[in-house]
Amino acid sequence: MKAAVVREAGHSPILADFAEPAAEPGEVIVEVAAAAVSPLARGRARGSHYSVAGGFPFVAGVDGVGHLADGRRVYFALPRAPFGAIAERVPVPAAQCVEVPDGLDDVAAAALANPAMSSFAALTERAVLRPGETVLVNGATGTAGRLAIGIARHLGAGRVIATGRNAVALATLGADETLAIPADDGALDARLREIFAGGVDVVLDYLWGRTAERLLVAAARAKREDRPVRFVQIGAASGGEITLPGAALRAAPIALMGSGIGSVPAPRLLASVAAAFAAAGPAGLAVETVTAPFADVERAWNAETGSARLVLLGDRA
């Protein structure tokens, strides 16, 4: 079969022949209709994501939408290595498939699943958001961060605060309050003191790096024993490491945790996808997309898409 094959770390996938998959016990074969190219898919292709396991070559793509032999349309995630989502067919554990509602087309479902799951799982499985609480989304102008604002509201957040570098983009997100991240640490710290003085219950962090450092310190300095902060680390767009004084965690009731593959069991991640699909209409959850056929993967993978998510289409799309 044809597939998007990664030959070695750091190289873009190329269209090539790959072994035809055969289902092992507990697996199903999915005929792929659409596969979104998420940051996770790109990180695995580069060999830089923490979840990468196994050698080369392998097929790129971690999830997608397709059809089972009985005709059911499903979202699938984490195919058995070395197979991947950007292929004509893929073997997937049956438990890692979720039926797609009729109201979502293939492209919309493929694009929505991964970024929506990130905040759904973080808020329900890790932070356990309670109605009326305040959520701060750090890095809200990316695809997942934008969705996190709507998902937090859908799950009952009373107030949502959004941070990001782009003040113009922040103004379009519909958050209750925004913080355009300044370059100066003193100005950033002053603004964060104001925000945390008003009370923050949950931080969803898509950036890590410098802003995460300042957020954690600000949470500690606020010393709000009546409102412990649950800080959920999801992405690392601003860097993989931080410097954090130990006193920051001793000085205030801060719960620091991660959310993703490994910290949330796979069945619960899939349940978050199903919940996001169900909420797509009521919460107005949608992702801007650009599409290309599987056969055009070499060009499309490296093409500039702006804020849109690339979705590659199979013959069944």
Side-chain angles (χ1 to χ4, degrees), residues 73-197:
R73 190 168 63 110
V74 298
Y75 165 80
F76 64 89
L78 303 176
R80 168 169 48 90
F83 297 97
I86 308 174
E88 293 177 314
R89 286 166 292 282
V90 62
V92 185
Q96 289 167 207
C97 294
V98 173
E99 291 201 37
V100 179
D102 291 339
L104 278 179
D105 64 34
D106 295 343
V107 172
L112 179 66
N114 181 276
M117 173 269 292
S118 71
S119 55
F120 240 108
L123 289 168
T124 60
E125 300 292 331
R126 303 297 281 154
V128 192
L129 180 71
R130 294 183 284 270
E133 290 189 315
T134 294
V135 175
L136 186 153
V137 181
N138 186 36
T141 56
T143 299
R146 287 173 180 267
L147 289 171
I149 293 171
I151 289 168
R153 290 199 191 286
H154 176 74
L155 292 173
R159 183 172 175 78
V160 181
I161 302 165
T163 80
R165 297 185 184 89
N166 188 327
V168 174
L170 283 171
T172 68
L173 302 181
D176 298 293
E177 186 174 352
T178 62
L179 167 58
I181 300 168
D184 177 69
D185 278 351
L188 177 57
D189 290 345
R191 188 73 180 87
L192 288 175
R193 279 197 299 272
E194 295 175 1
I195 289 172
F196 277 90

Side-chain angles (χ1 to χ4, degrees), residues 44 47 51-58 81-82:
R44 282 192 162 197
S51 66
V52 171
F56 297 89
F58 65 86

Side-chain angles (χ1 to χ4, degrees), residues 39-82:
L40 171 57
R42 292 186 185 278
R44 282 192 162 197
R46 289 193 301 268
S48 61
H49 195 268
Y50 72 87
S51 66
V52 171
F56 297 89
F58 65 86
V59 178
V62 297
D63 62 352
V65 171
H67 297 83
L68 302 181
D70 61 8
R72 283 182 295 157
R73 190 168 63 110
V74 298
Y75 165 80
F76 64 89
L78 303 176
R80 168 169 48 90

Side-chain angles (χ1 to χ4, degrees), residues 1-6 13-22 29-37 41 58-67 74 76 79-92 292-298 301 311-317:
M1 69 170 181
K2 295 295 184 181
V5 180
V6 181
I14 61 171
L15 188 69
D17 290 319
F18 203 78
E20 188 71 35
I29 298 296
V30 181
E31 187 174 350
V32 182
V37 180
F58 65 86
V59 178
V62 297
D63 62 352
V65 171
H67 297 83
V74 298
F76 64 89
R80 168 169 48 90
F83 297 97
I86 308 174
E88 293 177 314
R89 286 166 292 282
V90 62
V92 185
F294 278 10
D296 200 20
V297 63
E298 296 176 49
W301 186 273
V311 179
L312 295 165
L313 305 178
D315 291 339
R316 285 291 299 269

